[in-house]
Amino acid sequence: MTRAEVREGRMTSLSKEGDAADPVADIGASPDGPDPGGLNTGARHRIADQVFRTLSVGSGFLVSVVIGLIAIFLLAQAIPSLAKNEENFFTYTGEWVTSGSGLAFGIPQLFYTTVLVSIIALLLAMPVSLGISIFLTEYAPKRLVGPIAYTVDLLAAVPSIVYGLWGILVLGPAMVPVNEWLVSHLGFLPFFQKPSQVANMSTGGTILTAGIVLAVMILPIITAVTREVFMQTPKGHREAALALGATKFEVVKLAVLPFGFSGYISGCMLGLGRALGETMALLLIISTVGPMDFNLLESGQTFATKIARDAAEFDSPAKTGAYISAGLALFVLTFVVNAAARAVVAGKK
């Protein structure tokens, strides 16, 4: 037998063994035989992904359309009244005149009170929410995490009117001696001067009280978002910091906070959006016109409380349009706040 015949025999043997155990030939085969319909798992997955993508894109598009329609409605209702407004809508601070041929209304005082109360609530709620989130994710025993988290989350289920009643009937009277102490000892500061309407301070119906109540209302929103983000911190980040000799505090500072900062800011902006549009609770606590200064012991009206207080008097298209103009300003304010929050989050990534 020649060398060529031996080589040919070996190649034939290897070819037969390869055909017997060809992995490519087994792809798509099932234990029960070939797929009778010709549909494999990959094709089904591709169809499911395409359906999910279509539904997701459609949902986002639908939300955008709804928001656009709301904006168009507000503009259509507000423009006729704004055209009849004899004062500057952005600078007029006098009494609203929404009857007759000549209208006079503006939003500076509403804008001031809305922003001031919301900022107070945010300043009070942000550090508390951050502390609760860090405690639940890093320090709390596992048996306490569930009960504490559920208790905080239940705060979001309390109706706004209940918070308002608690604020004016419980917290307000409790704040009276605190208000008097602030005026007596810190009255030289612009934040705690004696108010022009002493009755508000004596009943506790002040911007400070409203800010505290609003802080309790937005606390569960910020805490829930922040806690979930902190829980997603990669385990390797924590272990790497501990391996380098970091303490628990340093792990939180160097690993958890940098990873979850954008989520924390997002939660704060969600809480701020909630605070800007709050109505019933603030309507029960502050509902009288106040001066535009930094005194937290004064009262005031927000966009939402102004509209809710005078809603029963909407007896003409001109008057309705004037208040819808205020609603349009609140709509734009909320949109700007959310856009700014997204810019901050994007800059931190």
Side-chain angles (χ1 to χ4, degrees), residues 109 112-113 195-197 207 288-295 298-300:
Q109 289 183 316
Y112 157 77
T113 307
S196 58
Q197 299 180 7
I207 291 177
T288 58
V289 179
M292 293 179 60
D293 54 27
F294 295 102
N295 192 354
E298 294 282 2
S299 184

Side-chain angles (χ1 to χ4, degrees), residues 91-125:
T91 60
Y92 178 68
T93 59
E95 188 71 21
W96 278 38
V97 178
T98 55
S99 300
S101 57
L103 306 182
F105 56 92
I107 61 169
Q109 289 183 316
L110 304 180
F111 179 85
Y112 157 77
T113 307
T114 301
V115 173
L116 181 60
V117 173
S118 300
I119 290 177
I120 294 172
L122 201 62
L123 292 177
L124 294 176

Side-chain angles (χ1 to χ4, degrees), residues 89-287:
F89 181 67
F90 299 102
T91 60
Y92 178 68
T93 59
E95 188 71 21
W96 278 38
V97 178
T98 55
S99 300
S101 57
L103 306 182
F105 56 92
I107 61 169
Q109 289 183 316
L110 304 180
F111 179 85
Y112 157 77
T113 307
T114 301
V115 173
L116 181 60
V117 173
S118 300
I119 290 177
I120 294 172
L122 201 62
L123 292 177
L124 294 176
M126 284 179 63
V128 177
S129 299
L130 181 61
I132 295 174
S133 302
I134 293 176
F135 174 73
L136 292 178
T137 56
E138 303 298 328
Y139 293 97
K142 291 185 177 180
R143 65 178 181 275
L144 294 180
V145 172
I148 295 176
Y150 294 149
T151 302
V152 175
D153 292 342
L154 281 175
L155 292 175
V158 179
S160 298
I161 192 170
V162 175
Y163 278 113
L165 292 173
W166 171 71
I168 196 62
L169 298 178
V170 179
L171 181 62
M175 288 293 295
V176 171
V178 177
N179 296 337
E180 295 175 350
W181 185 91
L182 291 174
V183 171
S184 301
H185 296 80
L186 300 176
F188 59 91
L189 297 175
F191 307 105
F192 307 116
Q193 295 178 352
K194 188 174 182 179
S196 58
Q197 299 180 7
V198 183
N200 292 326
M201 190 181 72
S202 61
T203 59
T206 63
I207 291 177
L208 179 61
T209 303
I212 295 174
V213 173
L214 208 54
V216 178
M217 296 179 68
I218 67 176
L219 182 69
I221 300 175
I222 303 176
T223 303
V225 175
T226 306
R227 178 168 57 89
E228 290 299 326
V229 174
F230 285 174
M231 289 176 61
Q232 302 303 319
T233 304
K235 188 177 180 181
H237 291 190
R238 291 188 173 94
E239 293 178 348
L242 292 173
L244 293 174
T247 63
K248 194 71 172 180
F249 172 76
E250 290 172 336
V251 170
V252 173
K253 178 182 177 181
L254 300 176
V256 178
L257 289 179
F259 178 83
F261 180 78
S262 61
Y264 174 58
I265 296 298
S266 298
C268 293
M269 292 304 102
L270 284 176
L272 179 58
R274 171 77 169 83
L276 290 173
E278 177 52 38
T279 305
M280 289 308 301
L282 299 185
L283 181 62
L284 295 175
I285 300 173
I286 53 173
S287 60

